[in-house]
Structure formats: structure tokens, C-alpha cells
């Protein structure tokens, strides 16, 4: 299977005439250095120059050259760039020689900084930057991740000495002083019609920026991926891939995919067999990523799917990931309703949600009255019995603001999903998740509560915004398939291999007690009811540490000095 070098980008601060740059990088400009690594689609690396000022847009973006020209000359970079659809980073070198790096709203294009003797360096890969800081994992970040991967340690990355740039912030680098951060994004309010129009534009333009003029594939399963597939088909031929058990060729996702007939869309089934079960070994080694990837447990399936599509000529694969996080969120709005005194609506919605979950509404109502939106309807599995170390302070959103709870949750998932993009990059098939785009998040949180939350309608905002595009059967579908049985079976068939992970690198770091972890694995393999999230996090982290251990770190070299008068 074809493999390629990791794709990422980064730069240095002004004032260092001979900075360290990654070996093999392509310099976009010097003094200060800006580079890209790996193979990039030409449309996803664009630069523009006006006098001594320069601008670069890195990643899929809807901006035109005219838009980039406007962004070069305005005092406030975000005032122009915030309207651009896609997932990208905007870098501007001002006439005064300062660097501005605009981190996207949704954290789908994460950024990091690291301090070096020659000044700060920033980049889109914490793994690549870690070699400038000693290449050591951050055990406190790992402890928080193992406790609950959706509540990361505050202000840390998986790598010691590598600091994340907060999403929705502007990073400023000058010749004097250290890096400075300023928030540039905050939620706005739109009417239902305006919010739907903003969502259609953001998602549609984000898809167009990725697939126009290239051979592309998409997932084709639930409402989220179907919407993306139908949008992509408007810009050229697209192949929608539907995974299904090899022995079942009708019903479920297959039924809906087979009923979808639109110009430009070709349907392609992807049958799953025993070799695709979770935890199954494969000849394709797990690539090293910034942090443990969500698909680590199903790497055999994921790698085969990506490899098959790449071999068929696809150069771009779109997923529906993030749709559930945006449109099928927890009933966090109950806290906002309680804060604003909308008691009838709050009690009614709590009863509807409780009925849907076949539980008492009392816990939901009590949580709403306490006013912590982030905890409403969210499961707390408790501290795993095999986690042996204290967990550091984690990022939490307190208070009744359902919007901020949604934003914080989506950013965590989007940052984690970036490691999936790194997995797919290693197999030469760029992966894209349009629902994590910053402009999409901005559109969703701008909508009124009643447009977004409902226990009676499935994903009401998405279904309403694309009512004319989605067939009726797809708009009204609510059921989704579950893979819990596959995980039990996969663990049973691969128990010996998985048990070997229990007493490995995490145990050597003092983070895990192997005995209770082995007991959990044994019980899950026997079909016992299992709390999967912490177990999957532990197994994914162990596999990730192994991948990192066998992968050479990024090598750096001094760049040549810039000739006098050149930029």
C-alpha cells in the first residue's frame, strides 16, 4: 500500500534570519519562515503578496484571490477571514514584519506552539513539533485522556512542552516579546431562516472547496454523510461508499443508500468480514499521530477502506463525522431554559428526553436547575479501576450556556478527529470532515434553541436546512446501527493479542495497573456488559505509544539566510 510523508505546516517568529525548519519541507517564504510538509493539493496551499505584506491560506478554503487580497489590507484579519468556509489556517505577514496566525473556530485544523532557544515555532502537528521539545509524552495529559477523553487537560497537548493554540484565537508573533493570543470569534444570533441559510452556505462551500475538480469519495450511511454526498454530487462525479456486513446486503444503511438515485452519485458497497473486526491485526502498521486516534480499535477496517478507495483513484474522502455532535447533542438547552424562567418548556422537554431514554426526568431537571449545561444528559463512567495516577485539572464549561457547552464539546472531538486525518494521510488518501468546519459551527450555534433541540424530531436543524435536498425517507430516518456486538466478538477473537497490551508502555509509565485492566478485557471478551469508552481509550493509547516509538522523530535543519532585499 502506498504511503507518504505526513502533511503539516508551520512557521517561525520574525527576527530569526536562519531558523530551524523541518528537513524536506517546502518553504513558502523566508524571514520569518513559513513551510509545508508532505504532498498538498495545489488549491489547498495558496499565497498572495502585496508589497512587503503576504498572506497564506493552508487547507481547503472557499476564499477567492480577491478575498485574500482584501484580507491582506484590512486592519483586522478575522473581520474578513471569518466568513470563509472550509477547514484551514490563515497566516499573514504584515508590512511591519509581524506574523498573524488565525486558528479556526472549530479546532478541526489544530495549531500548537513550542519554545526554542531561537524563539517560538508554531505548527499544525504537535507530534512534529515535539522533537524540538525533547520528544516526551505528557503523562498528565494522558492521565486526563484515560479518565475521560472528552475532557482534556487544560492548556496541554499529548506532548510535553508543546502548547495548543486555543481555537478561535489569533496568534501574534513579533520581533519583541513572546507569542500573544487574542480571541477573534464569539457566537452571534441569527433568525431561523438566517441560520439555515448560513448552514447551507458553510457546508455547501466547504464541500465544494474539497471536491471540485478531483476524484472523490464519501461515506454514504446516515443523514449526515448522505447530506455531504448529495452536496458533493453537485460539483462533479462522486462515489458514495456504504459499509455493511458481508452476509447482509439489504436493510439498514444499505436500504437507504440503494434508494438514493441522483445525477453524479455512484453507490459502492463495502462488505465487512471477519478480518475487519475490531482489534484484528493487519499488515498495515498503525501510523504515528498527534494523539491516539478514535479509529485505532478498528484500524484493520479503516485501513482497508482507505486503501481500497485510494487504489480506485480517489484523492479525497469525505465523512459525516461531527454531524452527531452538532445536531444530535445532549439536552444541554434545559439549563438555558431554567435560567431564563421558561419552566413549562423546560419540564416538557425534560419529560420528552427522559421518555426517549426510558428513564426518569428527575435527573435531567435537577441538572438543569443546578445550571451546568455541560453535564446534562452526559454519562460519567467514573474513574477506571486500572488508572493509577491523579488526574490534572481538565477543561470544563460551567454554567447554563448550552452554546458554550456545545462549542467546547465539538472542539474536543474535532481536535481528536484530526488524528484520523493523519492516519489517512499516511495511506495517501486525504480525509475531510466538513461538519467540523468553523463556519458550520458558527452557523449552528447562531440558531435559536427551538431550531436545534428536539426530542421528537431527529436532527431538526440539519433536516430543515436541507429539506429540499434530502429525500423524505432520509429526513425522517432516526435509527442508527450499533457496533457493540462487533467489539465483543473482535475482543473475543483477539483476546490474547489485546491482553498483551495491558502490561505494556502505559504500565511502564506508571499510569495503568495491568491486573484490573486484564480483568476488564477478559470480562468484555466473554460478553459482559462493558463500559467501552475508557477501555477503548486505554487500548488505543497503548497502540499509539507503540506507533510513536517505532516512528523516527521530525528532523530539523537550519535554513539558508535570506539574500539581502529578498523576502
Amino acid at each position: 500500500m502506498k504511503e507518504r510523508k505526513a502533511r503539516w505546516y508551520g512557521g517561525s517568529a520574525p527576527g530569526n534570519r536562519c531558523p530551524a525548519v523541518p528537513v524536506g519541507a517546502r518553504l513558502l517564504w523566508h524571514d520569518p519562515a513559513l513551510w509545508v510538509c508532505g504532498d498538498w493539493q495545489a488549491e489547498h496551499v495558496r499565497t498572495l503578496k502585496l508589497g512587503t505584506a503576504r498572506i497564506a491560506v493552508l487547507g481547503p478554503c472557499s476564499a477567492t484571490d480577491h478575498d485574500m487580497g482584501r484580507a491582506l489590507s484590512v486592519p483586522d484579519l478575522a473581520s474578513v477571514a471569518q466568513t470563509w468556509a472550509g477547514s484551514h489556517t490563515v497566516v499573514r505577514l504584515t508590512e511591519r514584519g509581524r506574523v498573524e496566525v488565525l486558528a479556526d473556530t472549530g479546532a478541526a485544523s489544530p495549531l500548537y506552539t513550542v519554545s526554542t532557544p531561537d524563539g517560538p515555532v508554531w505548527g499544525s502537528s504537535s507530534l512534529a513539533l515535539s522533537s524540538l521539545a525533547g520528544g516526551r509524552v505528557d503523562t498528565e495529559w494522558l492521565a486526563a485522556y484515560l479518565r475521560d477523553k472528552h475532557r482534556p487537560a487544560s492548556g496541554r497537548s499529548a506532548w510535553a512542552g508543546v502548547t495548543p493554540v486555543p481555537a478561535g484565537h489569533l496568534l501574534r508573533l513579533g520581533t519583541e516579546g513572546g507569542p500573544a493570543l487574542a480571541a477573534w470569534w464569539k457566537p452571534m444570533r441569527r433568525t431561523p431562516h438566517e441560520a439555515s441559510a448560513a448552514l447551507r452556505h458553510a457546508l455547501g462551500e466547504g464541500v465544494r472547496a474539497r471536491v471540485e475538480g478531483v476524484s472523490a469519495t464519501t461515506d454514504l450511511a446516515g443523514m449526515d454523510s448522505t447530506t455531504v454526498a448529495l452536496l458533493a454530487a453537485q460539483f462533479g462525479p462522486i462515489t458514495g461508499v456504504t459499509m455493511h456486513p458481508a452476509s447482509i446486503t439489504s436493510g439498514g444503511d444499505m436500504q437507504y443508500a440503494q434508494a438514493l438515485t441522483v445525477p453524479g452519485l455512484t453507490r459502492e458497497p463495502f462488505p465487512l468480514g471477519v478480518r475487519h473486526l475490531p482489534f484484528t491485526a493487519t499488515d498495515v502498521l498503525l501510523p504515528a499521530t498527534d494523539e491516539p486516534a478514535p479509529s485505532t480499535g478498528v484500524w484493520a477496517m479503516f485501513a482497508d477502506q482507505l486503501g481500497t478507495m485510494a487504489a480506485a483513484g480517489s484523492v479525497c474522502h469525505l465523512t459525516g463525522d461531527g454531524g452527531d455532535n452538532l445536531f444530535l447533542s445532549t439536552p444541554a438547552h434545559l439549563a438555558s431554559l431554567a435560567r431564563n424562567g421558561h419552566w413549562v418548556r423546560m419540564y416538557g422537554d425534560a419529560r420528552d428526553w427522559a421518555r426517549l431514554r426510558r428513564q426518569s426526568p428527575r435527573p435531567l431537571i435537577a441538572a438543569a436547575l443546578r445550571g451546568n449545561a455541560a453535564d446534562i444528559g452526559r454519562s460519567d463512567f467514573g474513574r477506571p479501576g486500572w488508572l493509577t495516577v491523579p488526574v490534572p485539572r481538565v477543561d470544563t464549561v460551567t454554567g447554563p450556556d448550552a452554546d458554550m457547552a456545545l462549542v467546547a464539546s465539538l472542539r474536543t472531538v474535532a481536535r481528536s478527529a484530526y488524528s484520523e486525518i493523519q492516519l489517512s494521510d499516511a495511506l495517501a488518501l486525504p480525509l475531510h470532515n466538513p461538519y467540523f468546519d468553523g463556519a458550520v459551527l458558527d452557523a449552528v450555534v447562531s440558531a435559536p434553541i427551538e431550531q436545534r433541540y428536539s426530542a421528537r424530531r431527529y436532527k431538526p436543524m440539519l433536516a430543515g436546512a436541507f429539506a429540499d435536498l434530502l429525500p423524505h425517507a432520509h429526513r425522517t430516518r432516526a435509527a442508527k446501527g450499533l457496533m457493540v456486538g462487533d467489539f465483543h466478538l473482535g475482543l473475543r477473537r483477539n483476546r490474547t493479542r489485546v491482553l498483551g497490551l495491558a502490561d505494556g508502555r502505559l504500565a511502564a509509565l506508571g499510569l495503568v495497573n495491568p491486573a484490573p485492566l486484564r480483568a476488564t478485557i477478559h470480562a468484555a471478551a466473554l460478553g459482559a456488559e462493558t463500559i467501552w469508552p475508557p477501555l477503548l481509550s486505554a487500548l488505543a493509547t497503548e497502540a499509539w505509544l507503540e506507533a510513536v516509538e517505532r516512528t523516527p522523530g521530525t528532523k530539523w535543519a537550519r535554513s539558508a539566510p535570506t539574500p539581502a532585499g529578498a523576502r
Side-chain angles (χ1 to χ4, degrees):
M1 184 177 294
K2 180 183 177 183
E3 295 188 7
R4 68 179 184 182
K5 294 181 179 179
R7 287 188 311 141
W8 67 287
Y9 46 80
S12 61
N16 186 355
R17 304 283 291 182
C18 188
V21 301
V23 173
R26 173 163 62 99
L27 278 170
L28 300 180
W29 63 61
H30 299 261
D31 191 25
L34 176 69
W35 63 78
V36 294
C37 296
D39 298 325
W40 286 81
Q41 189 175 323
E43 293 80 6
H44 296 172
V45 178
R46 293 187 289 155
T47 62
L48 193 65
K49 181 180 179 181
L50 181 63
T52 58
R54 295 191 178 200
I55 191 169
V57 178
L58 308 173
C61 181
S62 66
T64 64
D65 288 346
H66 175 72
D67 295 330
M68 292 174 62
R70 285 184 57 219
L72 255 180
S73 58
V74 296
D76 181 8
L77 174 61
S79 65
V80 174
Q82 66 182 348
T83 64
W84 299 347
S87 178
H88 48 266
T89 297
V90 183
V91 187
R92 184 169 73 167
L93 177 62
T94 70
E95 291 183 342
R96 296 183 178 180
R98 296 174 181 171
V99 174
E100 298 176 333
V101 186
L102 200 69
D104 85 325
T105 303
S109 297
L111 297 176
Y112 304 89
T113 61
V114 63
S115 296
T116 76
D118 296 320
V121 176
W122 66 271
S124 62
S125 170
S126 60
L127 171 63
L129 293 180
S130 68
S131 56
L132 292 173
R136 296 174 292 106
V137 297
D138 186 326
T139 54
E140 291 193 13
W141 185 94
L142 284 181
Y145 178 87
L146 294 171
R147 167 63 176 83
D148 185 346
K149 70 176 185 178
H150 294 297
R151 297 209 171 181
S154 301
R156 313 176 84 106
S157 76
W159 297 95
V162 182
T163 304
V165 175
H169 279 64
L170 179 70
L171 171 67
R172 290 191 178 96
L173 300 167
T175 55
E176 299 179 359
L181 290 169
W184 66 265
W185 178 84
K186 63 180 180 180
M188 63 180 297
R189 285 284 169 256
R190 293 185 175 100
T191 66
H193 176 75
E194 291 170 340
S196 291
L199 174 58
R200 285 188 69 110
H201 175 80
L203 190 59
E205 282 294 284
V207 168
R208 181 195 61 77
R210 292 167 165 98
V211 305
E212 195 169 39
V214 302
S215 176
T217 53
T218 72
D219 290 341
L220 187 58
M223 185 189 295
D224 308 316
S225 57
T226 298
T227 303
V228 168
L230 293 174
L231 287 170
Q234 297 178 350
F235 304 108
I238 195 82
T239 299
V241 181
T242 303
M243 291 188 288
H244 65 94
S247 59
I248 301 175
T249 58
S250 62
D253 290 340
M254 286 296 291
Q255 172 188 340
Y256 288 90
Q258 290 165 349
L260 198 64
T261 303
V262 296
L265 176 65
T266 300
R267 303 182 305 271
E268 187 69 34
F270 188 84
L272 300 174
V274 172
R275 65 192 178 95
H276 297 119
L277 282 172
F279 314 114
T280 299
T282 174
D283 292 336
V284 183
L285 293 177
L286 181 75
T289 53
D290 284 357
E291 61 184 75
S295 289
T296 301
V298 292
W299 174 238
M301 177 185 71
F302 192 45
D304 192 27
Q305 179 197 15
L306 294 173
T308 299
M309 292 185 297
S314 176
V315 297
C316 169
H317 182 72
L318 275 61
T319 82
D321 290 356
D324 283 352
N325 305 93
L326 281 173
F327 305 112
L328 195 63
S329 51
T330 63
H333 71 294
L334 296 177
S336 296
L337 293 174
R339 175 189 60 181
N340 294 321
H342 300 310
W343 305 112
V344 174
R345 168 80 190 272
M346 190 272 286
Y347 283 111
D349 280 10
R351 285 196 302 270
D352 287 342
W353 280 92
R355 189 179 302 113
L356 192 65
R357 290 173 167 81
R358 299 180 181 179
Q359 65 182 43
S360 169
R362 291 181 180 177
L364 293 175
I365 294 171
L369 295 176
R370 287 196 301 270
N372 192 349
D375 289 336
I376 295 179
R378 188 179 183 277
S379 299
D380 185 351
F381 303 114
R383 181 188 178 91
W386 34 261
L387 186 60
T388 60
V389 294
V391 176
R393 184 177 67 87
V394 299
D395 288 328
T396 57
V397 175
T398 58
D401 194 327
D403 291 340
M404 287 297 95
L406 172 63
V407 169
S409 174
L410 187 90
R411 285 174 171 173
T412 298
V413 178
R415 187 213 67 241
S416 178
Y418 188 74
S419 59
E420 304 277 88
I421 293 174
Q422 293 176 316
L423 291 181
S424 64
D425 276 351
L427 301 183
L429 179 60
L431 184 78
H432 298 273
N433 306 308
Y435 286 107
F436 289 129
D437 290 357
V440 173
L441 174 62
D442 178 77
V444 171
V445 297
S446 73
I449 282 179
E450 58 270 16
Q451 188 179 1
R452 293 157 44 194
Y453 295 94
S454 175
R456 296 171 179 164
R457 291 184 62 206
Y458 184 69
K459 301 185 178 179
M461 185 174 183
L462 182 65
F466 294 97
D468 61 325
L469 183 68
L470 286 165
H472 176 76
H474 292 77
R475 294 199 311 272
T476 56
R477 182 188 180 193
K480 295 189 66 173
L482 299 175
M483 292 184 63
V484 173
D486 289 341
F487 276 93
H488 282 295
L489 180 57
L491 194 54
R492 186 177 308 126
R493 293 181 65 94
N494 300 285
R495 178 167 50 182
T496 300
R497 174 175 174 267
V498 176
L499 283 170
L501 299 175
D503 195 1
R505 294 161 182 80
L506 285 174
L509 289 171
L511 296 173
V512 162
N513 183 343
L517 181 55
R518 280 196 297 266
T520 301
I521 295 171
H522 273 298
L526 293 174
E529 185 174 348
T530 303
I531 301 175
W532 283 104
L535 176 58
L536 292 177
S537 292
L539 299 178
T541 303
E542 188 66 38
W544 172 73
L545 289 170
E546 180 184 355
V548 166
E549 189 176 278
R550 65 168 177 264
T551 303
T554 301
K555 295 182 179 180
W556 299 76
R558 294 284 180 180
S559 67
T562 307
R567 297 294 287 180

